[in-house]
Amino acid sequence: MRQHFGQRVRFDEPMGRHTSLQVGGPADAYVRPKDVAELHHLLEWCRDHTLAWRVLGKGFNTLVLDGGLRGVTISLASWRTLSLEDDLVVAQAGVTHSAFARFCVEHERSGMEFAVGIPGLVGGWLRMNAGTREREMADVTEWVELLRADAQSAERVPARALCWKYRELELEPEIVLLGAAFRTTRAPVLEIQARLDAQLERRKATQPVNARSFGSVFKNPPQDHAGRLIEAAGLKGARVGDAEISPIHANFIVNTGHARASDVLELIEHTRGKVQAETGIRLETEVRIEGEATWD
Ligand SMILES: Cc1cc2nc3c(=O)[nH]c(=O)nc-3n(C[C@H](O)[C@H](O)[C@H](O)COP(=O)(O)OP(=O)(O)OC[C@H]3O[C@@H](n4cnc5c(N)ncnc54)[C@H](O)[C@@H]3O)c2cc1C
C-alpha cells in the first residue's frame, strides 16, 4: 500500500483526528485515493486480500469505538470539485458544507440554504439523507454518481431511483458515493445570504455548535422529538466521564474534555434505557457506530 499510495496512506491513524467528537481508536489503514481509477484499484486490492473497507466523510455523524477500525478506511476529502450545469450544482463527495455554501452565494444559486449548517462532506450528506424540518437531500438531488466495488467505472443514477429514508440513503453494500447534482434556482445574492445567516443564527441559538459533538444522537420517533423525550426524562447535563448530554440541546452529546467512546456509548445506552422506561419509546440511533470496542 505504501508503494502504491505513498503519503496518501497512513497506518494506525487515530480516528479522533477525523471525527467531530474527537474520540475513537486507530484505523489500520487510512487511505485518500486521488481519483476514481485509484479508488477502483483500492477496492479490488481489498477484495483480493479479503480486507474490510468503509468510507468516512468528516465524521460529523460517526462514533468510532475505542478499539478503532479494522481494514481500510477510505477518505474522499480531497475530491472537492464544484461546478454548475445549467441549474444543477454538481459537487464531488469531498466538498465541505462551507465550500458548498460559498459556491452557491458566488453563483447566485438558491435552494440549498437549509443544508449550510449541516456540517460534513457531500458524501456524508447523501448517505445520511441529511436535512432539517424543511427539506432533506432526497428533495433536492437530481442524480448521484457512484462506484460499485465490482464495477470498472462510475455510474450516474437518477436520485428518484434510489431508496431515500429518514436520515438514510439505503444502498446495497459495497457502494461508494462519488458526488451528486443538486437542483437550484437563480436568486439575488443578498436574499441567499440572508437565508444562510438566518439558518446559522437559528442553529447557534438552539444547538451546541461550537462544542465537540456529532449532531443528533437519536432519530426522532414518529410524531415526537428525541430531544424533547430526553429532556423530559431529566437527562440534560447527564454525564459519563467527560461525555455529557448538552445542556443546550438534549439530543446532542458533547465531549467536554477527554471522553472515550466507551463513555459516549454508555451515555447513549443509559439515555435509551431511561427514555424507554418512562415512555415505552425505544429510541433508534441516528449516529453511525463503527469499529471495535476494545483494542487487543
Ligand atoms: C452541530 C451539528 C449539527 C448537525 N445538524 C444536522 C442537521 O440539522 N441535520 C442532519 O441531517 N444532520 C445534522 N448533523 C449530523 C451531520 O452533520 C450529518 O449527518 C452529515 O451529513 C455528516 O456528514 P459527514 O461527512 O461528517 O459524514 P460521516 O459521519 O463521515 O459519515 C456518515 C455515514 O456516511 C457514510 N459515508 C460518508 N461518505 C460516504 C461516501 N462518499 N460513500 C458512501 N458512504 C459514505 C459513512 O460510512 C457513514 O456511515 C449535525 C452534526 C453536528 C455536529
Side-chain angles (χ1 to χ4, degrees):
M1 286 187 93
R2 173 67 77 210
Q3 263 176 8
H4 195 88
F5 291 99
Q7 293 309 308
R8 293 193 305 289
V9 57
R10 292 192 201 148
F11 299 106
D12 294 324
E13 176 71 359
M15 292 313 291
R17 288 185 190 158
H18 301 282
T19 52
S20 53
L21 199 66
Q22 295 180 8
V23 303
D28 289 345
Y30 184 79
V31 189
R32 290 166 296 151
K34 65 175 189 302
D35 53 26
V36 179
E38 207 171 77
L39 174 63
H40 171 70
H41 179 78
L42 176 62
L43 298 179
E44 267 192 333
W45 192 87
C46 288
R47 190 192 56 212
D48 293 348
H49 292 80
T50 49
L51 273 180
W53 60 267
R54 75 201 55 74
V55 188
L56 195 69
K58 264 285 197 220
F60 275 102
N61 216 189
T62 301
L63 171 63
V64 176
L65 298 181
D66 296 316
L69 301 170
R70 301 292 73 79
V72 174
T73 300
I74 301 169
S75 166
L76 303 185
S78 60
W79 299 26
R80 295 191 205 132
T81 305
L82 272 159
S83 60
L84 209 50
E85 287 181 15
D86 299 320
D87 280 341
L88 297 175
V89 174
V90 179
Q92 282 191 308
V95 168
T96 63
H97 66 287
S98 45
F100 197 102
R102 275 197 304 277
F103 184 89
C104 287
V105 172
E106 278 164 21
H107 294 82
E108 303 179 316
R109 304 316 305 177
S110 174
M112 293 295 289
E113 292 87 336
F114 74 97
V116 288
I118 304 180
L121 305 182
V122 162
W125 270 1
L126 294 166
R127 185 72 173 90
M128 297 306 298
N129 188 15
T132 61
R133 282 176 214 178
E134 298 159 46
R135 288 177 139 190
E136 54 188 15
M137 291 302 142
D139 301 321
V140 290
T141 309
E142 180 68 13
W143 49 257
V144 169
E145 191 165 56
L146 51 84
L147 181 69
R148 295 175 200 276
D150 56 358
Q152 290 290 335
S153 54
E155 61 185 287
R156 252 183 210 189
V157 181
R160 62 177 182 283
L162 295 170
C163 184
W164 303 89
K165 295 185 166 174
Y166 169 53
R167 296 297 165 266
E168 184 179 6
L169 167 57
E170 206 173 79
L171 291 174
E172 292 158 34
E174 313 235 305
I175 286 183
V176 181
L177 299 164
L178 307 180
F182 301 96
R183 289 185 290 275
T184 59
T185 53
R186 196 181 190 97
V189 168
L190 288 179
E191 257 180 40
I192 300 171
Q193 192 63 58
R195 280 196 287 270
L196 294 181
D197 292 346
Q199 285 280 350
L200 293 177
E201 281 308 311
R202 185 182 60 78
R203 278 178 187 274
K204 270 192 212 156
T206 57
Q207 296 178 357
V209 286
N210 295 320
R212 290 178 287 161
S213 83
F214 47 39
S216 298
V217 180
F218 297 104
K219 293 181 182 176
N220 288 325
Q223 275 86 53
D224 211 332
H225 292 280
R228 192 198 71 75
L229 293 168
I230 298 166
E231 191 171 347
L235 287 168
K236 257 190 173 176
R239 296 175 74 102
V240 174
D242 281 344
E244 179 186 62
I245 297 187
S246 167
I248 300 173
H249 191 311
N251 200 18
F252 282 69
I253 287 178
V254 295
N255 178 359
T256 61
H258 301 283
R260 294 172 58 81
S262 56
D263 301 328
V264 180
L265 210 51
E266 198 179 321
L267 193 52
I268 289 175
E269 288 314 327
H270 175 67
T271 305
R272 201 194 320 252
K274 189 138 195 267
V275 168
Q276 188 164 12
E278 295 196 1
T279 65
I281 298 171
R282 184 167 170 79
L283 293 173
E284 193 187 324
T285 45
E286 177 173 321
V287 66
R288 302 288 183 116
I289 299 169
E290 301 262 3
E292 291 181 0
T294 49
W295 177 243
D296 301 320

